Amino acid sequence: MASAIHTAIIPLLLYFAQICWCNQPSSTIKINYREKEKQVLDQILGPSSYDARIRPSGVNQTDGPAIVRVNLFVRSIATISDIKMEYSVQLTFREQWLDERLKFNDFGGKIKYLTLTEANRVWMPDLFFSNEKEGHFHNIIMPNVYIRIFPYGSVLYSIRISLTLSCPMNLKLYPLDRQVCSLRMASYGWTTDDLVFLWKEGDPVQVVKNLHLPRFTLEKFLTDYCNSKTNTGEYSCLKVDLLFKREFSYYLIQIYIPCCMLVIVSWVSFWLDQSAVPARVSLGVTTLLTMATQTSGINASLPPVSYTKAIDVWTGVCLTFVFGALLEFALVNYASRSDMHRDQMQKQRRQCELEHAASLEAAADLLQDGGTNFPMKPLVRSGDQTLEKMRQCKVHMQQPHRPNCCRSWLSKFPTRSKRIDVISRITFPLVFALFNLTYWSTYLFRDESDGE
């Protein structure tokens, strides 16, 4: 009996609950706007109302070109390669345009925008990167593509991509140079009669804070237009120029200071004795080979170009100084052997003069003893003439010379080989210091003018 009463009461309770729910005000009924979004998407993107193959109309639904505004967010710059003349960048690329076919009811502001992840559902501009070498999209964990459709028909397309772009470099001032690397975006098929790209107003390019590059510093960036004209029409193009300044401290430690040390080490041979042939030869050859290895290593990290770079001037002059120090020893060795030969000749000359003087004294003794006869008169005359010439030479050699500090200082070193070493000790450092003054003043000044 109780179970039968319970079975009859439950349907009555459900009936009265349904009546009470239907009599409630409509304002208390909750609406699922996510379901409304699906209905709106099916409505505006239906095959009967939208065709992604047709471009949007111009401003105010005219036949003018569709306007696409572009902005970039540079997330990172991985590498800048000098030898390949390229750089790698990761960026978030955004486009925004108006397609009035996509207008929809926002239900009083409840639907702020619609979201898509499939770019083929709507019309897309045919933009490409004209100086791209390689590129790829990011698909982890999901494809990094985002499309928003706003109630008034505006479409925002955002995607994260990584690109390797060509960067033609002028290395005349390397490594005291600045390089301008461009990022160019152009229309592939639509001419400016149908499609125009414009930079977004305000701040079209943003760069992540604390951007760190190993050998460069991003000084500034400039946006510009680069429309191109062909025989098929004019095509819209955008570009952003990134100005990079090369960090000089790395090259100062790795190239300039070691080269200076090698040049100074080659001067040590000037202070070694000219008879120390093995030491001076090994020192000169070792520094020359080390400098040549340093030069070849520098050139291996740079592309072959037809002009002379600043680093070529530096390494070439340093190599010349090291080679000059080795040639200086060859000259010293030759002068040393010449000095030895001259000393031997002077000894022989002195010996001959002593023998000749002894013969003259013997002839004079015979004259004083009264043993002179007619056949000996020519000998006496010739001896008198020889003595007179020797006196004239002595008088001529005893003429006073003008005082000269350099001659008096060099007179302290009797041999020519020693004089060459002493002169080289002063000449090589002075010329190298003069070269440094000219080099740094020239290239630093040119670097500033190029930067301006």
Side-chain angles (χ1 to χ4, degrees):
M1 185 67 179
S3 60
I5 296 172
H6 181 68
T7 304
I9 291 174
I10 290 175
L12 292 175
L13 293 175
L14 292 175
Y15 176 74
F16 285 114
Q18 185 177 3
I19 293 175
C20 294
W21 175 263
C22 292
N23 292 331
Q24 287 182 355
S26 59
S27 59
T28 60
I29 300 175
K30 294 183 178 180
I31 301 177
N32 188 354
Y33 289 102
R34 303 289 78 79
E35 183 66 25
K36 294 294 182 181
E37 289 182 5
K38 177 182 180 302
Q39 296 176 5
V40 170
L41 284 174
D42 292 339
Q43 179 183 358
I44 62 176
L45 296 179
S48 60
S49 58
Y50 187 83
D51 191 346
R53 299 172 296 175
I54 308 301
R55 72 168 181 87
S57 302
V59 180
N60 296 326
Q61 295 185 350
T62 61
D63 290 334
I67 305 299
V68 178
R69 300 190 179 274
V70 177
N71 73 310
L72 304 173
F73 177 65
V74 180
R75 293 184 173 273
S76 65
I77 299 176
T79 57
I80 301 177
S81 175
D82 295 317
I83 190 169
K84 295 182 179 180
M85 290 195 177
E86 63 183 21
Y87 72 105
S88 300
V89 60
Q90 183 187 127
L91 51 87
T92 299
F93 173 74
R94 297 186 181 97
E95 294 176 307
Q96 192 166 6
W97 65 93
L98 181 63
D99 193 344
E100 296 185 354
R101 297 173 295 175
L102 299 176
K103 290 182 177 180
F104 61 90
N105 182 15
D106 61 353
F107 294 93
K110 297 297 183 180
I111 301 178
K112 296 181 179 180
Y113 52 81
L114 302 174
T115 303
L116 292 177
T117 56
E118 300 176 1
N120 58 357
R121 297 289 301 275
V122 297
W123 176 86
M124 293 291 300
D126 61 340
L127 183 142
F128 75 105
F129 296 93
S130 59
N131 60 334
E132 172 202 355
K133 287 186 175 181
E134 295 179 359
H136 67 272
F137 301 108
H138 293 265
N139 297 319
I140 299 177
I141 298 176
M142 293 291 293
N144 297 166
V145 181
Y146 196 76
I147 300 175
R148 289 180 180 178
I149 302 176
F150 294 90
Y152 52 91
S154 178
V155 181
L156 174 64
Y157 174 74
S158 178
I159 186 171
R160 187 167 70 98
I161 52 179
S162 291
L163 301 171
T164 300
L165 305 167
S166 64
C167 179
M169 298 182 181
N170 186 353
L171 300 174
K172 288 183 178 180
L173 300 181
Y174 176 91
L176 301 167
D177 57 337
R178 288 181 173 89
Q179 298 298 335
V180 178
C181 295
S182 299
L183 175 63
R184 296 174 178 267
M185 300 160 286
S187 174
Y188 184 76
W190 299 97
T191 64
T192 52
D193 296 332
D194 297 311
L195 179 62
V196 174
F197 291 108
L198 298 176
W199 286 112
K200 186 178 180 180
E201 297 178 357
D203 192 9
V205 178
Q206 303 92 38
V207 179
V208 66
K209 295 182 179 179
N210 301 323
L211 179 65
H212 177 71
L213 298 173
R215 297 187 185 180
F216 289 88
T217 301
L218 179 61
E219 287 193 333
K220 59 182 178 180
F221 49 87
L222 303 172
T223 56
D224 201 355
Y225 296 91
C226 54
N227 292 3
S228 60
K229 292 183 179 180
T230 65
N231 56 0
T232 57
E234 182 179 1
Y235 296 87
S236 185
C237 175
L238 303 177
K239 73 171 182 176
V240 53
D241 293 330
L242 305 173
L243 179 61
F244 296 99
K245 181 181 179 181
R246 199 181 299 272
E247 288 291 342
F248 179 68
S249 58
Y250 169 81
Y251 301 93
L252 179 65
I253 297 173
Q254 297 294 327
I255 296 177
Y256 285 92
I257 292 179
C259 289
C260 284
M261 294 174 65
L262 285 173
V263 173
I264 294 172
V265 167
S266 67
W267 298 342
V268 175
S269 63
F270 303 154
W271 299 87
L272 299 178
D273 189 75
Q274 61 266 23
S275 61
V277 177
R280 298 188 68 161
V281 170
S282 60
L283 180 62
V285 172
T286 302
T287 52
L288 182 62
L289 292 178
T290 306
M291 190 67 216
T293 305
Q294 180 86 348
T295 303
S296 62
I298 295 170
N299 293 329
S301 62
L302 294 173
V305 293
S306 59
Y307 49 83
T308 302
K309 304 180 289 294
I311 195 65
D312 295 335
V313 176
W314 175 263
T315 55
V317 172
C318 291
L319 189 62
T320 302
F321 270 93
V322 175
F323 183 68
L326 184 60
L327 290 182
E328 189 270 349
F329 170 67
L331 181 61
V332 166
N333 193 12
Y334 173 78
S336 178
R337 289 186 283 107
S338 178
D339 290 338
M340 294 175 61
H341 179 70
R342 185 182 61 179
D343 292 340
Q344 293 177 358
M345 294 298 294
Q346 286 180 353
K347 289 180 180 179
Q348 294 178 1
R349 190 180 299 110
R350 291 194 191 100
Q351 186 175 0
C352 292
E353 290 177 355
L354 291 174
E355 293 177 355
H356 186 67
S359 63
L360 291 177
E361 289 178 358
D365 292 341
L366 291 174
L367 289 174
Q368 291 177 0
D369 293 340
T372 306
N373 52 17
F374 181 75
M376 292 295 294
K377 287 182 181 179
L379 180 61
V380 174
R381 293 195 189 98
S382 63
D384 294 339
Q385 291 177 0
T386 303
L387 291 172
E388 184 64 24
K389 289 182 178 179
M390 291 177 67
R391 294 191 190 98
Q392 292 178 358
C393 290
K394 289 181 179 180
V395 171
H396 179 72
M397 293 177 64
Q398 290 176 0
Q399 290 181 357
H401 295 282
R402 295 181 180 179
N404 192 327
C405 60
C406 293
R407 289 181 179 179
S408 61
W409 178 66
L410 289 175
S411 64
K412 298 179 182 179
F413 309 100
T415 60
R416 288 186 298 173
S417 58
K418 191 64 175 179
R419 292 176 184 176
I420 294 173
D421 274 341
V422 171
I423 293 173
S424 299
R425 295 172 188 175
I426 300 173
T427 305
F428 273 73
L430 286 178
V431 176
F432 190 67
L434 181 62
F435 161 70
N436 273 271
L437 180 63
T438 305
Y439 179 87
W440 295 114
S441 61
T442 300
Y443 283 102
L444 288 177
F445 178 75
R446 289 180 59 184
D447 180 50
E448 292 176 359
S449 63
D450 290 350
E452 293 176 1

